[in-house]
């Protein structure tokens, strides 16, 4: 499903983001990526979405080498990836329904299909009664649920979450990762980047720990980890 083959990335300032990283994530897995600031977590994330390309090595998503695809194919790649960020990135002047629907409108989905899919994901994330609310009327946890709904409304193969609970309190954070587990149970591959080791312990899923741009450990469960 996802494979990094000897991937290295050095930024223009000389910062080594990834150094000969190889890893494989199977279809339907739930994987948590942890590491100190500068360990390479964000670069791993950006390589999957083709925001950056490696200096060497290759990144495969569903057997497609995303490091070498044509620019015209990038939107198609991103349709297969649901992405959730720490800062929600909701459109402030659109309702909850409209924010989620927008992900389908940009790919010119039929209005009847949009309505059906949006209503389905609203039910999945428990926000059926918030469809007509604006983001400013929601709590942080509810806004993140909208962001999750938007990420999965197109039924992606992979859900990628970059510090999705960074702005949330502990109880709400657990609610969000419980939602990720629920989505994972449907067969969606989930890759979550976090520095919150309480959540890592709570999840008890496969963990890849990065340090200095390398894989320090794999399948670590609940070990001590302190963010600098």
């Amino acid at each position: 499903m996802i494979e990094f083959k000897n991937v290295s990335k050095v930024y223009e300032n000389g910062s080594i983001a990834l150094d000969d990283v190889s890893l494989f994530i199977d279809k339907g897995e739930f994987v948590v990526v942890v590491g100190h600031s500068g360990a390479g977590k964000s670069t791993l994330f950006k390589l999957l979405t083709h925001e950056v390309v490696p200096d060497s090595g290759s990144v495969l998503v569903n057997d497609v080498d995303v490091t070498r695809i044509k620019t015209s194919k990038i939107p198609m790649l991103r349709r297969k990836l649901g992405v959730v960020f720490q800062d929600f990135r909701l459109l402030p002047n659109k309702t909850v329904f409209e924010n989620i629907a927008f992900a389908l409108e940009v790919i010119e989905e039929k209005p009847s299909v949009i309505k059906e899919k949006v209503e389905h994901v609203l039910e999945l994330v428990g926000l059926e009664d918030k469809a007509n609310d604006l983001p400013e009327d929601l709590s942080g946890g509810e806004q993140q649920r909208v962001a999750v709904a938007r990420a999965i409304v197109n039924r992606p193969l992979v859900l990628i979450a970059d510090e999705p609970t960074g702005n949330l309190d502990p109880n709400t954070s657990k609610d969000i990762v419980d939602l990720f587990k629920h989505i994972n149970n449907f067969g969606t591959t989930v890759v979550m980047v976090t520095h919150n080791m309480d959540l890592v312990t709570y999840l008890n899923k496969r963990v890849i720990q990065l340090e200095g741009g390398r894989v320090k450990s794999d399948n670590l469960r609940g070990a001590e980890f302190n963010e600098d």
Side-chain angles (χ1 to χ4, degrees), residues 24-219:
F24 180 79
I25 298 171
D26 207 353
K27 182 179 180 180
E29 273 200 274
F30 192 132
V31 178
V32 185
V33 180
V34 302
H36 296 288
S37 296
K41 304 190 303 295
S42 293
T43 299
L44 199 79
F45 183 96
K46 290 176 180 177
L47 285 164
L48 286 173
T49 57
H50 200 82
E51 289 181 60
V52 300
V53 294
D55 297 317
S56 60
S58 57
V59 180
L60 283 75
V61 178
N62 202 32
D63 295 325
V64 175
D65 189 343
V66 303
T67 62
R68 292 174 175 81
I69 63 173
K70 296 178 181 179
T71 303
S72 61
K73 299 290 186 182
I74 294 174
M76 186 63 69
L77 162 71
R78 291 177 178 169
R79 288 176 200 172
K80 298 177 182 178
L81 304 173
V83 182
V84 179
F85 301 95
Q86 177 177 335
D87 56 357
F88 313 145
R89 303 191 184 185
L90 301 179
L91 301 170
N93 297 321
K94 289 185 178 290
T95 66
V96 167
F97 187 100
E98 290 167 343
N99 263 279
I100 300 169
F102 185 71
L104 297 171
E105 291 168 354
V106 296
I107 61 172
E108 300 180 346
E109 187 62 270
K110 295 179 180 178
S112 60
V113 175
I114 291 175
K115 184 176 185 295
E116 179 184 351
K117 287 187 175 182
V118 173
E119 289 177 349
H120 174 72
V121 294
L122 279 172
E123 182 179 354
L124 183 64
V125 302
L127 292 177
E128 307 100 303
D129 60 339
K130 302 289 184 178
N132 296 318
D133 289 3
L134 293 172
E136 65 181 15
D137 300 322
L138 306 177
S139 67
E142 288 170 337
Q143 289 186 54
Q144 190 61 296
R145 284 177 176 270
V146 177
V148 172
R150 181 182 56 191
I152 64 172
V153 71
N154 201 34
R155 299 171 186 171
L157 297 171
V158 182
L159 177 63
I160 310 168
D162 188 11
E163 299 286 1
T165 64
N167 292 327
L168 305 176
D169 63 74
N171 288 333
T172 306
S173 296
K174 287 184 178 180
D175 288 342
I176 294 299
V177 298
D178 282 342
L179 179 56
F180 289 154
K181 287 196 292 184
H182 185 58
I183 293 165
N184 177 244
N185 288 338
F186 286 112
T188 301
T189 304
V190 178
V191 181
M192 186 177 85
V193 175
T194 187
H195 66 271
N196 187 332
M197 285 307 292
D198 288 337
L199 287 182
V200 173
T201 302
Y202 175 72
L203 279 166
N204 195 33
K205 298 289 186 179
R206 176 186 173 191
V207 179
I208 296 171
Q209 183 174 2
L210 299 178
E211 184 174 293
R214 286 180 168 268
V215 176
K216 181 180 180 181
S217 60
D218 195 343
N219 213 31

